[in-house]
Amino acid sequence: MRLLGKDSEGTSWVLAEVERGLLVSILRTPHGPRHAPRLSRASPELQAAGAIELADELEGHRASTRARLLDFLEDAPTTGTVEGDGPGRLLRLAPADLEMFLQVLNEVRLGAWERLGCPNPPEPPDDLSTEAPEFRSWFELVVASRIQGFLLSAAFPA
């Protein structure tokens, strides 16, 4: 993934097909709901009454933003070669779209982190096997974190 340009209307990126494929794979995987949102620490009744409704609404929003990002990735026009990897895809993101992209990656990252039991530090074990049941969650956490970090550092250099 490479930043082509940045102006007042947004950023332009070129994604290699393998990068686009990784993103599409991560976004298409059903993630399930994350931990229930905390509405009240003082009132268990309020927490119980609103948690299910709010969780459903949040999950609906997450699904719609993932679907919108998938549309961006799938509709991105083909462009020239990306560092010898063959044709790439041109992705033009308005500031709000870049923010949405970062939020979706953060949701993927946090969901994987929660499924893994909130490891600290969030680094895969050295002996992780591709056959391990938690491999997919580690994969999502690492890929989403790296892409999110790359987008932030490229779009907002220090």
Side-chain angles (χ1 to χ4, degrees):
M1 193 169 186
R2 187 177 46 170
L3 178 64
L4 286 181
K6 179 178 163 183
D7 57 32
S8 62
E9 294 181 23
T11 53
S12 296
W13 305 84
V14 175
L15 281 78
E17 278 299 325
V18 69
E19 293 166 329
R20 188 176 87 58
L22 282 172
L23 285 167
V24 167
S25 170
I26 286 173
L27 296 173
R28 280 202 175 142
T29 302
H31 297 283
R34 291 192 35 226
H35 288 262
R38 180 166 306 270
L39 299 173
S40 172
R41 292 176 193 241
S43 172
E45 296 82 20
L46 177 60
Q47 178 65 32
I52 293 172
E53 184 177 328
L54 183 57
D56 289 344
E57 189 172 322
L58 285 171
E59 191 52 36
H61 176 68
R62 287 180 187 122
S64 70
T65 54
R66 278 193 310 268
R68 185 165 176 223
L69 186 52
L70 274 169
D71 288 344
F72 271 112
L73 293 169
E74 290 173 347
D75 296 341
T78 302
T79 187
T81 20
V82 180
E83 299 171 12
D85 291 336
R89 297 288 185 116
L90 181 62
L91 191 62
R92 177 75 179 153
L93 298 172
D97 298 328
L98 179 60
E99 177 67 25
M100 177 195 61
F101 197 172
L102 291 167
Q103 287 177 7
V104 168
L105 289 169
N106 200 48
E107 285 293 329
V108 169
R109 186 181 61 79
L110 287 173
W113 181 71
E114 287 176 350
R115 284 191 307 278
L116 290 164
C118 306
N120 185 19
E123 296 295 327
D126 292 335
D127 61 347
L128 181 65
S129 162
T130 57
E131 304 301 318
E134 67 274 9
F135 179 81
R136 179 67 186 197
S137 293
W138 279 114
F139 174 78
E140 290 172 0
L141 185 133
V142 169
V143 170
S145 295
R146 290 197 179 153
I147 293 173
Q148 189 179 36
F150 176 77
L151 287 171
L152 287 168
S153 65
F156 307 103

